Amino acid sequence: MSRNDAAPGTVPAPPGRIRRLLSLLYVQCLIGVLAGAAVGWLWPSFGADLKPLGDGFIALVRMMIAPIIFCTVVHGIASMGNARAVGRVSLKALIYFEVLTTVAMVIGLVVVNVVRPGSGLHVDPSTLSTEGLPPEATQSHESVAAFVLSMIPDTLPSALTGHEILPVLLVSVLFGFGLNAAGEAGRGITESVEKLSKVLFTLIRWIMKLAPIGAFGSMAFTIGNYGLDTLRHLFLLVGSFWLTALFFVLVVLGTVMRVNGLRLLPFLRYIKEELLIVLGTSSSEPVLPRMMAKLQHAGASRPVVGITLPAGYSFNLDGTAIYLTMGSVFLAQALGVDLSLTQQLSMLAVMLLTSKGAAGVTGSGFIALAATLSAVPHVPVAALALIFGIDRFMSEARALTSVVGNGVATLAVAKWEGQLDEKRARAVLSGEIPYTSSPEAARTPEPRAGHTPQADHASGAKPEETESLASGAQSEDVQAADPKAAARSDRDPVPTAG
């Protein structure tokens, strides 16, 4: 019997099946995460030394974020023709962000008061010290006015050389409006920006091939440097935080998706590669460019994605919101400080500001918690030493929750604006129209076929504004009734930013 003959009663495996499986990015990232955890556990000192692998990957992606946001937002706004539509999208996004952030904080507040993970520790405040905490945790934090002013860069180019998203977003919106107002003079620049975005997404596609290495290095450092033993003492806090974040994602975000005619689990499967990268690197920044491309591929218009998703990275930190309430009340319980409901609600109001003020800072969740404690007199900042060792094990949950929350927010805002191709979204999330990182494979849709002014009116959008909001996107009609036609359409080489 030849080597290719199958034994009786067995089914031979398709040739190259393992090779095809290993070629998938999410499989490579999963292997990197597991291998990194094993190395950090077996050889802690060696694992801790692998931190530059993760830092290098994050730095590579971070250098691409500002120009990608700039090109996406500028091209979308410059092609619109109506400034009111941008203002409406921004207002709806900010309202959504504040509502969901508040819901996340309230859920965290309820859970930490029911579970009470800090009760029984009886920590003496006099034994606490800020020594060993990162400098950002102990320095004075900026006021609301300083935070608003920090969004304005020193010069227009300097916004693209920094690491904060809000100045980039501000400059991009202004530049897009400028090109729009310039008319014929700005049209050539708009086309050049579109071409530049294709080059940038090609570079991102190359950089993402290093994601498994970055996830391996970051996970090896986390386990090797902090160790799994630290989890035993504070397991109740870490476990309850992860379960609370999971509850928020499945119940709250799942409900938002249902209300907008979509389902959460197919969306999670659609972004599984991004979630594994976030899990490995403990950072949501590396997946921002791919999330923008994937949401456009799923049927959301480019202007809505370009405005909502980057803004969400500063204003819609759902995971950080849960962490702030649970972390602050846990520390109070550990110190034996009995916080009244009024005191807890006042802390929640402060957190609505501090969660934004620390955006863009490395380890923003921990820094935001420090800013909260410094703004209220109930718990000393030195108490952060109690959870500093386990903060890294909660940062993954913070980042994962925030990434999913921002993706859901973008689809929701696009639906409310009438700028979501729902048929295409369902087809993409179900796998009928697979995503590929090739720039020629995905399309950014215009309003759906059959999109009527009545539908715009029902969604709260004025017909002329809705048409202008998507006029810069490439057209795409999903032929859901004819899968073959949809497949042919998906194979057509059409330029896109994704």
Side-chain angles (χ1 to χ4, degrees):
M1 183 172 64
S2 67
R3 60 188 296 181
N4 295 326
D5 294 335
T10 64
V11 178
R17 180 178 180 181
I18 295 179
R19 180 179 299 176
R20 289 197 301 271
L21 192 63
L22 293 177
S23 67
L24 299 175
L25 181 61
Y26 78 91
V27 174
Q28 297 171 4
C29 290
L30 181 60
I31 293 174
V33 168
L34 295 177
V39 169
W41 180 46
L42 296 175
W43 302 284
S45 59
F46 176 67
D49 292 337
L50 295 178
K51 187 175 186 290
L53 294 179
D55 292 346
F57 169 70
I58 294 175
L60 282 173
V61 178
R62 184 178 293 168
M63 75 177 184
M64 304 295 298
I65 289 177
I68 284 178
I69 292 176
F70 179 80
C71 291
T72 303
V73 176
V74 166
H75 183 268
I77 293 178
S79 306
M80 282 174 24
N82 195 312
R84 286 185 296 174
V86 177
R88 192 176 58 243
V89 170
S90 302
L91 180 61
K92 288 181 178 179
L94 290 176
I95 293 175
Y96 174 93
F97 293 160
E98 289 307 310
V99 171
L100 266 290
T101 299
T102 304
V103 170
M105 288 183 174
V106 171
I107 291 175
L109 203 60
V110 171
V111 171
V112 75
N113 278 283
V114 171
V115 179
R116 299 188 65 83
S119 297
L121 292 182
H122 305 297
V123 177
D124 185 358
S126 63
T127 63
L128 299 175
S129 172
T130 58
E131 184 178 355
L133 295 178
E136 296 87 353
T138 56
Q139 67 186 14
S140 59
H141 300 277
E142 60 184 6
S143 63
V144 176
F147 169 65
V148 174
L149 291 176
S150 68
M151 292 189 295
I152 306 175
D154 294 332
T155 62
L156 189 147
S158 67
L160 303 180
T161 59
H163 295 303
E164 296 191 12
I165 292 177
L166 290 181
V168 181
L169 202 54
L170 175 64
V171 168
S172 302
V173 171
L174 293 177
F175 199 81
F177 281 140
L179 291 180
N180 197 321
E184 186 66 29
R187 191 163 301 158
I189 299 178
T190 303
E191 294 175 355
S192 299
V193 168
E194 166 69 3
K195 294 176 182 178
L196 177 60
S197 70
K198 297 176 187 176
V199 176
L200 294 174
F201 274 99
T202 299
L203 297 178
I204 276 292
R205 189 171 74 252
W206 294 346
I207 292 174
M208 293 309 295
K209 295 181 183 297
L210 301 175
I213 299 176
F216 168 76
S218 294
M219 185 58 69
F221 163 75
T222 299
I223 303 299
N225 190 64
Y226 298 104
L228 294 176
D229 289 340
T230 57
L231 293 177
R232 291 186 302 173
H233 306 291
L234 299 170
F235 175 77
L236 189 57
L237 173 61
V238 177
S240 59
F241 174 70
W242 273 85
L243 290 177
T244 305
L246 183 63
F247 173 84
F248 178 83
V249 169
L250 296 180
V251 177
V252 178
L253 297 182
T255 301
V256 174
M257 290 288 281
R258 282 285 187 181
V259 168
N260 290 283
L262 300 173
R263 295 170 55 211
L264 178 67
L265 293 183
F267 177 68
L268 296 180
R269 285 195 297 268
Y270 178 57
I271 62 171
K272 59 182 179 293
E273 294 176 351
E274 289 69 33
L275 295 180
L276 282 172
I277 293 172
V278 171
L279 178 64
T281 60
S282 298
S283 174
S284 58
E285 284 187 331
V287 300
L288 175 56
R290 279 178 61 94
M291 285 293 292
M292 295 178 72
K294 279 197 166 184
L295 289 170
Q296 291 180 48
H297 179 74
S301 71
R302 176 179 298 180
V304 173
V305 173
I307 294 172
T308 306
L309 188 64
Y313 267 62
S314 292
F315 293 102
N316 190 40
L317 305 175
D318 297 328
T320 300
I322 298 172
Y323 171 79
L324 290 178
T325 50
M326 295 191 68
S328 57
V329 177
F330 166 82
L331 294 177
Q333 294 171 353
L335 297 177
V337 178
D338 186 18
L339 295 177
S340 65
L341 179 60
T342 302
Q343 289 174 325
Q344 294 187 30
L345 292 178
S346 66
M347 291 179 65
L348 188 147
V350 172
M351 293 170 192
L352 287 173
L353 299 177
T354 55
S355 62
K356 277 71 176 178
V361 180
T362 302
S364 60
F366 190 78
I367 306 307
L369 181 57
T372 301
L373 297 183
S374 64
V376 294
H378 314 306
V379 181
V381 176
L384 289 171
L386 296 175
I387 62 173
F388 180 60
I390 62 166
D391 178 74
R392 184 78 179 193
F393 295 100
M394 293 188 284
S395 64
E396 288 93 346
R398 293 199 301 262
L400 288 169
T401 305
S402 296
V403 165
V404 177
N406 286 323
V408 171
T410 302
L411 293 176
V413 173
K415 171 67 182 295
W416 300 338
E417 275 295 298
Q419 297 304 311
L420 177 66
D421 189 331
E422 295 182 55
K423 291 183 179 179
R424 179 180 177 89
R426 295 190 187 96
V428 169
L429 298 186
S430 65
E432 295 176 21
I433 306 179
Y435 172 82
T436 173
S437 58
S438 173
E440 292 78 17
R443 296 184 181 185
T444 306
E446 284 184 350
R448 305 176 293 285
H451 193 66
T452 62
Q454 289 79 6
D456 290 337
H457 178 73
S459 66
K462 295 181 181 179
E464 65 274 12
E465 293 178 354
T466 303
E467 292 173 1
S468 67
L469 184 60
S471 63
Q474 289 102 355
S475 63
E476 171 70 40
D477 292 327
V478 178
Q479 304 173 22
D482 186 357
K484 293 182 179 180
R488 289 194 302 270
S489 175
D490 189 56
R491 290 194 298 268
D492 292 339
V494 178
T496 185

